[in-house]
Amino acid sequence: MALVTFKQLLAVAQNENKAIGAFSVGNMEMIMGAVQAAEEMNTPIILQIAEKRLKNSPLELMAPMMVSAAKNSKVDIAVHLDHGLTIECVKNALDFGFTSVMLDASLLPYEDNVNATKDVVAMAQNYGASVEAELGVVGGNEGDTAEHIIACTDPVVAKDFCERTGIDALAVAIGNAHGNYPVLPSLRFDILEEIQAIVKTPLVLHGGTGITDPMFRSAISLGIRKINIATASFDSLAKYAKEYCNNAEPADYFKLSSAMIEGTAKNIKRHIEIFNNQV
Ligand code: 13P
């Protein structure tokens, strides 16, 4: 199969009433675990990394691995820059062969978000790449910044934003938050329904970690076509690595590497099953 854009994957998801999992990766083992899970489930995925994670996992090292893993996979895979914060980083990702990018200008005043997003759409077109943007404020944080207070996406503004920018996917804020939720989230499906009724652009749900299976199903039934999972994969990798090290005397690097791949794959397979509407 092939390295594809997420626009292609989201169109298929739309027809089949499912969502594509967008899985954050931070090292080679996470990439291998994600691809292994996708191949075992015979399901396309999106491999992604956020700009804030690049200090731990530099783009110049991660990008060639991510793109190569996608090209050599038995399933279709899109490679995506999640939460791009600077136009320089967006351009670097495109130069490395990422097939989609997100510029997160959601904290800027509305007109500035529109203009910055339009610039990214124009740039991405030169590379044949897709673009995601965000409206409203998703809670939690990405990396070590301050927590954001949730502000739900306004459906009417979302329609205007998608029409004026020409983006390929819109990340919505409906009570979702990045990271582990302190209490079970209560997602505003009423707002999602209103957005879906007037916005034709495929919708994205960030902050997938900790969202329950029934909530995922409801979100998919209301037009969510891309679901981001990061923390749950990092936690699963760390758990498997810790268990291995606690039980192995002496610990062996190669077995530790396998444990990290397995920990990532386990979490991703669980999510793919739900996103495919299989369980
Ligand atoms: P979680 O870390 O909550 O899974 O969120 C992932 C995400 O939305 C990345 O943009």
Coordinates of all heavy atoms in Angstrom, one line a residue, residues 45-141:
I45 N -4.2 4.0 8.9 CA -4.0 4.9 10.1 C -3.3 6.2 9.7 O -2.8 6.3 8.5 CB -3.2 4.3 11.2 CG1 -1.8 3.8 10.7 CG2 -3.9 3.1 11.9 CD1 -0.8 3.5 11.9
I46 N -3.2 7.1 10.6 CA -2.4 8.3 10.5 C -1.4 8.3 11.5 O -1.7 8.1 12.7 CB -3.3 9.6 10.6 CG1 -4.4 9.6 9.5 CG2 -2.5 10.9 10.6 CD1 -5.6 10.5 9.8
L47 N -0.1 8.5 11.1 CA 1.0 8.6 12.1 C 1.2 10.1 12.3 O 1.4 10.8 11.3 CB 2.3 8.0 11.5 CG 2.5 6.5 11.5 CD1 3.8 6.1 10.8 CD2 2.4 5.9 12.9
Q48 N 1.3 10.5 13.5 CA 1.5 12.0 13.7 C 2.4 12.3 14.8 O 2.7 11.5 15.7 CB 0.1 12.6 13.9 CG -0.6 12.2 15.1 CD -2.0 13.0 15.2 OE1 -2.5 13.4 14.3 NE2 -2.5 13.0 16.5
I49 N 3.0 13.5 14.8 CA 3.8 14.0 15.9 C 3.5 15.5 16.0 O 3.3 16.2 15.0 CB 5.3 13.8 15.6 CG1 6.1 14.1 16.9 CG2 5.8 14.5 14.4 CD1 7.5 13.5 16.9
A50 N 3.4 16.0 17.2 CA 3.1 17.4 17.5 C 4.4 18.2 17.6 O 5.4 17.7 18.1 CB 2.3 17.5 18.8
E51 N 4.3 19.5 17.2 CA 5.5 20.3 17.2 C 6.1 20.4 18.6 O 7.3 20.4 18.8 CB 5.2 21.7 16.7 CG 6.4 22.6 16.7 CD 6.2 24.0 16.0 OE1 5.3 24.1 15.2 OE2 7.1 24.8 16.1
K52 N 5.3 20.4 19.6 CA 5.8 20.5 21.0 C 6.6 19.3 21.4 O 7.4 19.3 22.4 CB 4.7 20.7 22.0 CG 4.2 22.2 22.0 CD 3.5 22.5 23.3 CE 3.1 24.0 23.2 NZ 1.7 24.1 23.3
R53 N 6.4 18.2 20.7 CA 7.1 16.9 21.1 C 8.5 16.9 20.4 O 9.3 15.9 20.7 CB 6.3 15.7 20.7 CG 5.0 15.6 21.3 CD 5.1 15.4 22.8 NE 3.8 15.3 23.5 CZ 3.7 15.5 24.8 NH1 4.7 15.8 25.5 NH2 2.5 15.5 25.3
L54 N 8.8 17.8 19.6 CA 10.0 17.7 18.8 C 11.3 17.9 19.6 O 12.4 17.5 19.1 CB 10.0 18.7 17.6 CG 8.8 18.4 16.6 CD1 8.9 19.4 15.4 CD2 8.8 17.0 16.1
K55 N 11.2 18.5 20.8 CA 12.4 18.6 21.6 C 12.8 17.3 22.1 O 14.0 17.0 22.4 CB 12.2 19.7 22.6 CG 11.1 19.5 23.6 CD 11.1 20.7 24.6 CE 10.1 20.7 25.7 NZ 8.7 20.3 25.2
N56 N 11.9 16.4 22.3 CA 12.2 15.0 22.7 C 12.5 14.1 21.5 O 13.3 13.2 21.6 CB 11.0 14.3 23.5 CG 10.8 15.0 24.8 OD1 10.0 15.9 24.9 ND2 11.5 14.5 25.8
S57 N 11.8 14.4 20.4 CA 11.9 13.5 19.2 C 12.0 14.4 18.0 O 11.1 14.8 17.4 CB 10.5 12.7 19.1 OG 10.2 12.2 20.3
P58 N 13.3 14.8 17.7 CA 13.5 15.8 16.6 C 12.9 15.4 15.3 O 13.0 14.2 14.9 CB 15.0 15.8 16.5 CG 15.5 15.3 17.8 CD 14.5 14.3 18.3
L59 N 12.4 16.4 14.6 CA 11.7 16.1 13.3 C 12.7 15.5 12.3 O 12.3 14.6 11.5 CB 11.1 17.4 12.8 CG 10.2 17.3 11.5 CD1 9.0 16.5 11.9 CD2 9.8 18.7 11.0
E60 N 13.9 16.0 12.3 CA 14.8 15.5 11.3 C 15.2 14.0 11.5 O 15.6 13.3 10.5 CB 16.1 16.3 11.2 CG 17.0 16.3 12.4 CD 16.6 17.4 13.4 OE1 15.4 17.9 13.4 OE2 17.4 17.8 14.3
L61 N 14.9 13.4 12.7 CA 15.1 12.0 12.9 C 13.8 11.3 12.7 O 13.7 10.2 12.1 CB 15.7 11.8 14.3 CG 17.0 12.4 14.6 CD1 17.4 12.1 16.0 CD2 18.1 12.0 13.6
M62 N 12.7 11.8 13.3 CA 11.4 11.2 13.2 C 10.8 11.1 11.8 O 10.3 10.1 11.4 CB 10.4 11.9 14.1 CG 10.7 11.8 15.6 SD 10.7 10.1 16.2 CE 8.9 9.7 16.0
A63 N 10.9 12.3 11.1 CA 10.2 12.4 9.8 C 10.7 11.3 8.8 O 9.8 10.6 8.2 CB 10.4 13.7 9.2
P64 N 12.0 11.1 8.6 CA 12.3 10.0 7.7 C 11.8 8.6 8.1 O 11.4 7.8 7.2 CB 13.9 10.0 7.6 CG 14.2 11.4 8.1 CD 13.1 11.8 9.1
M65 N 11.8 8.4 9.4 CA 11.3 7.0 9.8 C 9.8 6.9 9.6 O 9.3 5.9 9.1 CB 11.6 6.8 11.3 CG 13.0 6.5 11.7 SD 13.2 5.8 13.3 CE 12.9 7.2 14.4
M66 N 9.1 8.0 9.9 CA 7.6 8.0 9.7 C 7.2 7.8 8.3 O 6.4 7.0 7.9 CB 7.0 9.2 10.3 CG 7.1 9.3 11.8 SD 6.8 11.0 12.5 CE 5.0 11.1 12.4
V67 N 7.9 8.6 7.4 CA 7.5 8.6 6.0 C 7.9 7.2 5.4 O 7.2 6.6 4.6 CB 8.2 9.7 5.2 CG1 8.1 9.6 3.7 CG2 7.7 11.1 5.7
S68 N 9.1 6.7 5.8 CA 9.5 5.4 5.3 C 8.6 4.3 5.8 O 8.3 3.4 5.0 CB 11.0 5.2 5.7 OG 11.4 3.9 5.4
A69 N 8.2 4.3 7.0 CA 7.3 3.3 7.6 C 6.0 3.3 6.8 O 5.5 2.2 6.5 CB 7.0 3.6 9.0
A70 N 5.5 4.5 6.5 CA 4.2 4.6 5.7 C 4.4 4.0 4.3 O 3.6 3.2 3.8 CB 3.8 6.0 5.6
K71 N 5.5 4.3 3.6 CA 5.8 3.9 2.3 C 5.9 2.4 2.2 O 5.6 1.7 1.2 CB 7.0 4.5 1.7 CG 6.9 6.0 1.3 CD 8.1 6.5 0.7 CE 7.9 7.9 0.2 NZ 9.1 8.7 0.0
N72 N 6.4 1.8 3.3 CA 6.7 0.3 3.3 C 5.6 -0.5 3.9 O 5.7 -1.7 4.0 CB 8.0 0.0 3.9 CG 9.2 0.5 3.1 OD1 9.4 0.0 2.0 ND2 9.9 1.6 3.5
S73 N 4.5 0.2 4.3 CA 3.5 -0.6 5.0 C 2.6 -1.3 4.1 O 2.4 -1.0 2.9 CB 2.7 0.5 5.8 OG 1.4 -0.1 6.2
K74 N 1.9 -2.4 4.7 CA 1.0 -3.1 3.9 C -0.4 -2.4 3.9 O -1.3 -2.9 3.2 CB 0.8 -4.5 4.5 CG 2.0 -5.4 4.5 CD 1.7 -6.8 4.8 CE 2.9 -7.7 5.0 NZ 3.3 -7.8 6.4
V75 N -0.6 -1.4 4.7 CA -1.8 -0.6 4.6 C -1.5 0.8 4.3 O -0.4 1.3 4.4 CB -2.6 -0.7 6.0 CG1 -3.0 -2.1 6.3 CG2 -1.7 -0.1 7.1
D76 N -2.6 1.6 3.9 CA -2.4 3.0 3.6 C -2.1 3.8 4.9 O -2.8 3.6 5.9 CB -3.6 3.6 2.9 CG -3.7 3.2 1.5 OD1 -2.7 2.8 0.9 OD2 -4.8 3.2 0.9
I77 N -1.1 4.7 4.9 CA -0.8 5.5 6.0 C -0.6 6.9 5.6 O 0.1 7.2 4.6 CB 0.4 4.9 6.8 CG1 0.1 3.5 7.3 CG2 0.8 5.9 7.9 CD1 1.2 2.9 8.2
A78 N -1.2 7.9 6.3 CA -0.9 9.3 6.1 C 0.1 9.7 7.3 O 0.0 9.2 8.4 CB -2.2 10.1 6.2
V79 N 1.0 10.6 7.0 CA 1.9 11.1 8.0 C 1.7 12.6 8.2 O 1.7 13.4 7.2 CB 3.4 10.9 7.5 CG1 4.4 11.4 8.5 CG2 3.6 9.4 7.3
H80 N 1.4 13.0 9.4 CA 0.8 14.3 9.7 C 1.5 15.0 10.8 O 2.0 14.4 11.8 CB -0.6 13.9 10.3 CG -1.4 15.1 10.7 ND1 -1.9 16.1 9.9 CD2 -1.9 15.4 12.0 CE1 -2.6 17.0 10.6 NE2 -2.6 16.6 11.8
L81 N 1.7 16.3 10.6 CA 2.2 17.2 11.7 C 1.0 17.7 12.5 O 0.1 18.4 12.0 CB 2.9 18.4 11.1 CG 3.4 19.4 12.2 CD1 4.6 18.8 13.0 CD2 3.7 20.8 11.6
D82 N 1.0 17.3 13.8 CA -0.1 17.6 14.7 C 0.3 18.9 15.4 O 1.4 19.1 15.8 CB -0.2 16.5 15.7 CG -1.4 16.6 16.7 OD1 -2.4 17.1 16.3 OD2 -1.2 16.1 17.8
H83 N -0.7 19.8 15.7 CA -0.5 21.0 16.4 C 0.8 21.8 16.0 O 1.6 22.1 16.8 CB -0.4 20.8 17.9 CG -1.8 20.4 18.5 ND1 -2.8 21.3 18.7 CD2 -2.3 19.2 18.8 CE1 -3.8 20.7 19.2 NE2 -3.6 19.4 19.3
G84 N 0.9 22.1 14.7 CA 2.0 22.9 14.2 C 1.8 24.3 14.8 O 0.7 24.8 14.8
L85 N 2.9 24.9 15.4 CA 2.7 26.2 16.0 C 3.4 27.3 15.2 O 3.1 28.5 15.4 CB 3.4 26.1 17.4 CG 2.7 25.1 18.3 CD1 3.6 25.0 19.6 CD2 1.3 25.5 18.7
T86 N 4.3 26.9 14.3 CA 5.0 27.9 13.5 C 4.9 27.5 12.1 O 4.9 26.3 11.7 CB 6.5 28.0 13.9 OG1 7.0 26.7 13.8 CG2 6.6 28.4 15.4
I87 N 4.9 28.5 11.2 CA 4.9 28.2 9.8 C 6.2 27.5 9.3 O 6.2 26.7 8.4 CB 4.6 29.5 9.0 CG1 4.0 29.3 7.6 CG2 5.8 30.4 8.9 CD1 2.5 29.2 7.7
E88 N 7.3 27.8 10.0 CA 8.6 27.2 9.7 C 8.5 25.7 9.9 O 8.9 24.9 9.1 CB 9.7 27.7 10.6 CG 10.1 29.1 10.4 CD 9.1 30.1 11.0 OE1 8.4 29.7 12.0 OE2 9.0 31.2 10.5
C89 N 7.9 25.3 11.0 CA 7.8 23.8 11.3 C 6.8 23.2 10.3 O 7.1 22.0 9.8 CB 7.2 23.6 12.7 SG 7.2 21.9 13.2
V90 N 5.8 23.8 9.9 CA 4.8 23.3 8.9 C 5.6 23.1 7.6 O 5.5 22.0 7.0 CB 3.6 24.3 8.7 CG1 2.8 23.9 7.5 CG2 2.7 24.3 10.0
K91 N 6.4 24.0 7.2 CA 7.1 23.9 6.0 C 8.2 22.8 6.1 O 8.3 22.0 5.1 CB 7.8 25.3 5.6 CG 8.6 25.2 4.3 CD 8.9 26.5 3.7 CE 9.6 26.4 2.4 NZ 10.4 25.3 2.1
N92 N 8.9 22.7 7.2 CA 9.8 21.6 7.4 C 9.2 20.2 7.2 O 9.7 19.4 6.6 CB 10.4 21.6 8.8 CG 11.6 22.6 8.9 OD1 12.1 23.1 7.9 ND2 11.9 23.0 10.1
A93 N 8.0 20.1 7.9 CA 7.3 18.8 7.8 C 6.9 18.5 6.3 O 7.1 17.4 5.9 CB 6.0 18.8 8.7
L94 N 6.4 19.5 5.6 CA 6.1 19.3 4.2 C 7.3 18.9 3.4 O 7.3 18.0 2.5 CB 5.4 20.5 3.6 CG 4.0 20.8 4.2 CD1 3.5 22.2 3.8 CD2 3.0 19.8 3.7
D95 N 8.4 19.6 3.7 CA 9.7 19.3 3.0 C 10.2 17.9 3.2 O 10.8 17.2 2.4 CB 10.8 20.3 3.3 CG 10.6 21.6 2.7 OD1 9.9 21.7 1.6 OD2 11.1 22.6 3.2
F96 N 9.9 17.4 4.4 CA 10.2 16.0 4.8 C 9.3 15.0 4.2 O 9.5 13.8 4.3 CB 10.3 15.8 6.3 CG 11.6 16.2 6.9 CD1 11.7 17.2 7.9 CD2 12.8 15.5 6.6 CE1 12.9 17.5 8.4 CE2 14.0 15.8 7.2 CZ 14.0 16.9 8.1
G97 N 8.2 15.4 3.6 CA 7.3 14.5 2.9 C 6.0 14.2 3.7 O 5.3 13.2 3.3
F98 N 5.8 14.9 4.8 CA 4.5 14.7 5.5 C 3.4 15.0 4.5 O 3.4 15.9 3.7 CB 4.4 15.7 6.7 CG 5.1 15.2 7.9 CD1 6.3 14.5 7.8 CD2 4.5 15.4 9.2 CE1 6.9 14.0 9.0 CE2 5.2 14.9 10.3 CZ 6.4 14.3 10.2
T99 N 2.3 14.2 4.6 CA 1.2 14.3 3.6 C 0.1 15.2 4.2 O -0.9 15.4 3.5 CB 0.7 13.0 3.2 OG1 0.3 12.2 4.4 CG2 1.7 12.2 2.4
S100 N 0.2 15.6 5.4 CA -0.8 16.6 6.0 C -0.2 17.3 7.1 O 0.8 16.9 7.8 CB -2.1 15.9 6.4 OG -1.9 14.9 7.4
V101 N -0.7 18.5 7.4 CA -0.2 19.4 8.4 C -1.4 20.0 9.1 O -2.4 20.3 8.5 CB 0.7 20.5 7.9 CG1 2.1 19.9 7.4 CG2 0.1 21.2 6.7
M102 N -1.1 20.3 10.4 CA -2.1 21.1 11.1 C -1.4 22.4 11.6 O -0.3 22.3 12.2 CB -2.6 20.4 12.4 CG -3.4 21.2 13.3 SD -3.9 20.3 14.8 CE -5.1 21.4 15.5
L103 N -2.0 23.5 11.3 CA -1.5 24.8 12.0 C -2.5 25.0 13.1 O -3.7 25.2 12.8 CB -1.4 25.9 11.0 CG -0.9 27.2 11.8 CD1 0.6 27.2 12.0 CD2 -1.3 28.5 11.0
D104 N -2.1 25.0 14.3 CA -3.0 25.3 15.4 C -2.9 26.8 15.8 O -2.1 27.2 16.6 CB -2.7 24.5 16.6 CG -3.7 24.7 17.7 OD1 -4.5 25.6 17.6 OD2 -3.6 24.0 18.8
A105 N -3.8 27.6 15.1 CA -3.8 29.0 15.4 C -5.1 29.3 16.2 O -5.6 30.5 16.2 CB -3.8 29.8 14.1
S106 N -5.6 28.3 16.9 CA -6.9 28.4 17.5 C -7.0 29.5 18.7 O -8.0 29.9 19.1 CB -7.4 27.1 18.0 OG -6.5 26.6 19.0
L107 N -5.8 29.8 19.2 CA -5.7 30.7 20.3 C -5.6 32.2 19.8 O -5.7 33.1 20.6 CB -4.6 30.4 21.3 CG -4.8 29.0 22.0 CD1 -3.6 28.8 23.0 CD2 -6.1 29.0 22.8
L108 N -5.4 32.3 18.5 CA -5.3 33.7 17.9 C -6.7 34.3 17.8 O -7.7 33.5 17.7 CB -4.7 33.6 16.6 CG -3.2 33.2 16.4 CD1 -2.7 33.3 15.0 CD2 -2.3 34.1 17.3
P109 N -6.9 35.6 17.6 CA -8.2 36.2 17.3 C -8.7 35.5 16.0 O -7.8 35.1 15.1 CB -7.8 37.6 17.1 CG -6.6 37.9 17.8 CD -5.8 36.6 17.8
Y110 N -10.0 35.4 15.8 CA -10.6 34.7 14.7 C -10.0 35.0 13.3 O -9.6 34.1 12.6 CB -12.1 34.9 14.7 CG -12.8 34.1 13.6 CD1 -12.8 32.7 13.6 CD2 -13.5 34.8 12.6 CE1 -13.4 32.0 12.6 CE2 -14.1 34.1 11.6 CZ -14.0 32.7 11.6 OH -14.6 32.0 10.6
E111 N -10.0 36.3 13.0 CA -9.5 36.7 11.7 C -8.1 36.3 11.5 O -7.7 35.9 10.3 CB -9.7 38.2 11.4 CG -11.1 38.6 11.2 CD -11.8 37.9 10.0 OE1 -11.2 37.7 9.0 OE2 -13.0 37.6 10.1
D112 N -7.3 36.3 12.5 CA -5.9 35.9 12.4 C -5.8 34.4 12.2 O -4.9 33.9 11.4 CB -5.1 36.3 13.7 CG -5.0 37.8 13.8 OD1 -5.4 38.5 12.9 OD2 -4.6 38.3 14.9
N113 N -6.6 33.7 12.8 CA -6.7 32.2 12.6 C -7.1 31.9 11.2 O -6.4 31.1 10.5 CB -7.7 31.6 13.6 CG -7.7 30.0 13.6 OD1 -6.9 29.4 12.8 ND2 -8.5 29.4 14.4
V114 N -8.1 32.6 10.6 CA -8.5 32.4 9.2 C -7.3 32.7 8.3 O -7.0 31.9 7.4 CB -9.7 33.4 8.9 CG1 -9.9 33.4 7.4 CG2 -10.9 33.0 9.6
N115 N -6.6 33.9 8.5 CA -5.6 34.3 7.6 C -4.4 33.3 7.7 O -3.8 32.9 6.6 CB -5.1 35.7 7.9 CG -6.2 36.7 7.4 OD1 -7.0 36.4 6.5 ND2 -6.3 37.8 8.1
A116 N -4.0 32.9 8.9 CA -2.8 32.0 9.0 C -3.1 30.7 8.4 O -2.3 30.1 7.7 CB -2.5 31.9 10.5
T117 N -4.4 30.2 8.6 CA -4.8 28.9 8.0 C -4.8 29.0 6.5 O -4.4 28.0 5.8 CB -6.2 28.5 8.6 OG1 -6.1 28.5 10.0 CG2 -6.6 27.1 8.1
K118 N -5.3 30.1 6.0 CA -5.3 30.2 4.5 C -3.9 30.1 3.9 O -3.7 29.5 2.9 CB -5.9 31.6 4.1 CG -7.4 31.6 4.0 CD -7.7 33.1 3.6 CE -9.1 33.3 3.1 NZ -9.4 34.7 2.9
D119 N -2.9 30.8 4.6 CA -1.5 30.7 4.2 C -1.0 29.2 4.1 O -0.3 28.8 3.2 CB -0.6 31.5 5.1 CG -0.8 33.0 5.0 OD1 -1.5 33.4 4.0 OD2 -0.4 33.7 5.9
V120 N -1.4 28.5 5.2 CA -1.0 27.1 5.2 C -1.6 26.3 4.1 O -1.0 25.4 3.5 CB -1.2 26.5 6.7 CG1 -1.1 25.0 6.7 CG2 -0.3 27.1 7.7
V121 N -2.9 26.5 3.9 CA -3.6 25.8 2.8 C -2.9 26.1 1.5 O -2.6 25.1 0.7 CB -5.1 26.2 2.8 CG1 -5.8 25.6 1.5 CG2 -5.8 25.7 4.0
A122 N -2.5 27.3 1.2 CA -1.9 27.7 0.0 C -0.5 27.0 -0.1 O -0.2 26.4 -1.1 CB -1.7 29.2 -0.1
M123 N 0.2 26.9 1.0 CA 1.5 26.3 1.0 C 1.4 24.8 0.8 O 2.1 24.2 0.0 CB 2.2 26.5 2.4 CG 3.6 25.9 2.5 SD 4.2 26.0 4.2 CE 4.6 27.7 4.3
A124 N 0.4 24.2 1.5 CA 0.2 22.7 1.4 C -0.2 22.3 0.0 O 0.2 21.2 -0.4 CB -0.8 22.2 2.4
Q125 N -0.9 23.1 -0.7 CA -1.3 22.8 -2.1 C -0.1 22.5 -3.0 O -0.2 21.6 -3.8 CB -2.2 23.9 -2.7 CG -3.6 23.6 -2.6 CD -4.5 24.9 -2.8 OE1 -4.0 25.9 -3.3 NE2 -5.8 24.7 -2.6
N126 N 1.0 23.3 -2.7 CA 2.2 23.1 -3.6 C 2.8 21.7 -3.4 O 3.6 21.2 -4.2 CB 3.2 24.1 -3.2 CG 2.8 25.5 -3.6 OD1 2.0 25.7 -4.5 ND2 3.2 26.5 -2.8
Y127 N 2.5 21.0 -2.3 CA 3.0 19.7 -1.9 C 2.0 18.6 -2.1 O 2.2 17.5 -1.9 CB 3.5 19.7 -0.5 CG 4.6 20.6 -0.1 CD1 4.4 21.9 0.1 CD2 5.9 20.1 0.0 CE1 5.5 22.8 0.5 CE2 7.0 20.9 0.4 CZ 6.7 22.3 0.6 OH 7.8 23.1 1.0
G128 N 0.7 19.0 -2.5 CA -0.3 18.0 -2.6 C -0.7 17.5 -1.3 O -1.3 16.4 -1.1
A129 N -0.5 18.3 -0.2 CA -0.8 17.8 1.2 C -2.1 18.4 1.7 O -2.7 19.4 1.2 CB 0.3 18.2 2.1
S130 N -2.7 17.7 2.7 CA -4.0 18.1 3.3 C -3.7 19.0 4.5 O -2.6 19.0 5.1 CB -4.7 16.9 3.8 OG -4.8 15.9 2.8
V131 N -4.7 19.7 5.0 CA -4.6 20.6 6.1 C -5.7 20.5 7.1 O -6.9 20.4 6.7 CB -4.6 22.1 5.6 CG1 -4.5 23.1 6.8 CG2 -3.4 22.3 4.7
E132 N -5.3 20.4 8.4 CA -6.3 20.4 9.5 C -6.1 21.7 10.3 O -5.0 22.2 10.4 CB -6.0 19.2 10.4 CG -6.8 19.2 11.7 CD -6.5 18.0 12.6 OE1 -5.9 17.1 12.2 OE2 -6.8 18.1 13.8
A133 N -7.2 22.3 10.8 CA -7.1 23.5 11.7 C -8.1 23.3 12.8 O -8.9 22.3 12.8 CB -7.4 24.7 10.9
E134 N -8.0 24.1 13.8 CA -8.8 23.9 15.0 C -9.6 25.2 15.3 O -9.0 26.3 15.2 CB -7.9 23.6 16.2 CG -8.6 23.4 17.5 CD -7.7 22.8 18.6 OE1 -7.0 21.8 18.3 OE2 -7.7 23.3 19.7
L135 N -10.8 25.1 15.8 CA -11.6 26.2 16.2 C -12.2 25.9 17.6 O -12.7 24.8 17.8 CB -12.8 26.4 15.3 CG -12.7 27.5 14.2 CD1 -14.1 27.6 13.6 CD2 -12.2 28.8 14.7
G136 N -12.2 26.9 18.5 CA -12.6 26.7 19.8 C -11.3 26.2 20.6 O -10.2 26.2 20.1
V137 N -11.4 25.9 21.9 CA -10.3 25.5 22.7 C -10.5 24.2 23.3 O -11.4 23.9 24.1 CB -10.0 26.6 23.8 CG1 -8.8 26.2 24.6 CG2 -9.9 28.0 23.2
V138 N -9.6 23.2 22.9 CA -9.6 21.9 23.5 C -8.8 22.0 24.8 O -7.9 22.8 24.9 CB -8.8 20.9 22.5 CG1 -8.6 19.6 23.2 CG2 -9.6 20.7 21.2
G139 N -9.3 21.4 25.8 CA -8.7 21.5 27.2 C -7.4 20.8 27.3 O -6.9 20.2 26.4
G140 N -6.9 20.8 28.6 CA -5.6 20.2 28.9 C -4.5 20.9 28.2 O -4.5 22.1 28.0
N141 N -3.4 20.2 28.0 CA -2.2 20.8 27.3 C -1.5 19.8 26.4 O -1.8 18.6 26.5 CB -1.3 21.5 28.3 CG -0.6 20.4 29.2 OD1 -0.7 19.2 28.9 ND2 0.0 20.9 30.3

